[in-house]
Amino acid sequence: GDSVTQMEGPVTLSEEAFLTINCTYTATGYPSLFWYVQYPGEGLQLLLKATKADDKGSNKGFEATYRKETTSFHLEKGSVQVSDSAVYFCALSDMEQGGSEKLVFGKGTKLTVNP
Amino acid sequence: GAVVSQHPSRVICKSGTSVKIECRSLDFQATTMFWYRQFPKQSLMLMATSNEGSKATYEQGVEKDKFLINHASLTLSTLTVTSAHPEDSSFYICSASRGNTIYFGEGSWLTVV
């Protein structure tokens, strides 16, 4: 079945450091890819998404590019802030399996940014 | 503001009792909601699809008699963990779609003691 493998955390960085959180996937179809963020005490929020190969999703300085050849969707940010401290989840939704609202998640990566 | 609201955010219950978690869509109607569960250091796993006015669809390995789902209205789905055991302690979170966007509730931490 479909699966998402995400970089194990926790990740601790200093403010203004460069962030990469790796995410790879396996899917039988042609999935849409997502990054969700969960701030402390809050629900999951969509951070960015990409629906086809070579698409780049971006939001709040974060970027991720849908790489079909490497089945990857790595999350990057050039300069992190303390407010970026959260748990980040990579996820996919496979249209061919039906139920496009169903998501398969990675385990989540906790990011802590220190001032 | 929140689009999907979940309650309670944290609950502690005694082993053998039942606990209900609510998921509400705040300003839209959701014919379908989804319930996920996350064990420590594990992925969020889909438990079931909640369908308004009909029976929920459970994922393989999820006990439907233990995790009762009721979707009696277009804005409310409830998950009841019956005869709870310590191994049911987990993070439960619901989602609903509005248009092409999936919204998640805040999640509920259940601790069974």
Side-chain angles (χ1 to χ4, degrees):
Chain A
D2 294 352
S3 67
V4 174
T5 302
Q6 178 173 351
M7 181 174 139
E8 295 255 353
V11 174
T12 303
L13 296 173
S14 297
E15 208 164 22
E16 299 184 1
F18 185 85
L19 169 70
T20 300
I21 301 177
N22 289 338
C23 173
T24 58
Y25 67 90
T26 58
T28 53
Y30 199 155
S32 295
L33 302 175
F34 307 83
W35 276 100
Y36 282 85
V37 58
Q38 185 176 29
Y39 297 104
E42 299 184 16
L44 288 172
Q45 301 174 26
L46 178 65
L47 181 60
L48 53 84
K49 69 177 182 181
T51 58
K52 60 182 187 294
D54 299 325
D55 265 3
K56 178 186 283 188
S58 61
N59 185 25
K60 299 181 181 180
F62 290 89
E63 293 183 341
T65 301
Y66 191 143
R67 301 289 188 198
K68 194 169 187 288
E69 64 276 13
T70 55
T71 62
S72 65
F73 193 54
H74 304 321
L75 181 68
E76 297 183 337
K77 185 171 185 180
S79 176
V80 293
Q81 306 298 314
V82 173
S83 56
D84 294 326
S85 298
V87 180
Y88 293 82
F89 293 89
C90 185
L92 70 80
S93 171
D94 192 340
M95 293 292 290
E96 288 194 9
Q97 301 237 335
S100 61
E101 300 159 312
K102 295 183 183 179
L103 295 169
V104 176
F105 286 90
K107 291 184 180 182
T109 303
K110 183 176 181 179
L111 170 67
T112 301
V113 180
N114 295 318
Chain B
V3 178
V4 174
S5 178
Q6 200 170 329
H7 176 80
S9 58
R10 292 185 178 272
V11 58
I12 300 172
C13 71
K14 292 185 177 179
S15 187
T17 63
S18 296
V19 60
K20 181 185 290 185
I21 301 170
E22 295 184 345
C23 179
R24 295 182 184 273
S25 56
L26 294 183
D27 58 357
F28 68 101
Q29 295 179 334
T31 56
T32 304
M33 293 183 176
F34 297 88
W35 287 96
Y36 295 83
R37 176 175 59 187
Q38 183 184 30
F39 292 110
K41 299 185 179 180
Q42 300 294 318
S43 298
L44 283 155
M45 300 295 293
L46 180 65
M47 296 176 64
T49 303
S50 174
N51 304 300
E52 189 271 334
S54 64
K55 292 182 179 180
T57 306
Y58 291 82
E59 297 298 304
Q60 191 173 8
V62 178
E63 300 175 59
K64 61 181 181 181
D65 293 330
K66 180 170 184 61
F67 298 99
L68 301 179
I69 292 173
N70 184 284
H71 196 152
S73 78
L74 286 169
T75 59
L76 175 63
S77 174
T78 60
L79 169 68
T80 301
V81 183
T82 64
S83 187
H85 289 279
E87 55 263 34
D88 298 325
S89 299
S90 186
F91 180 70
Y92 296 86
I93 193 166
C94 66
S95 73
S97 293
R98 183 173 70 178
N100 294 323
T101 303
I102 302 169
Y103 294 94
F104 285 86
E106 302 91 336
S108 299
W109 289 98
L110 170 63
T111 302
V112 183
V113 298

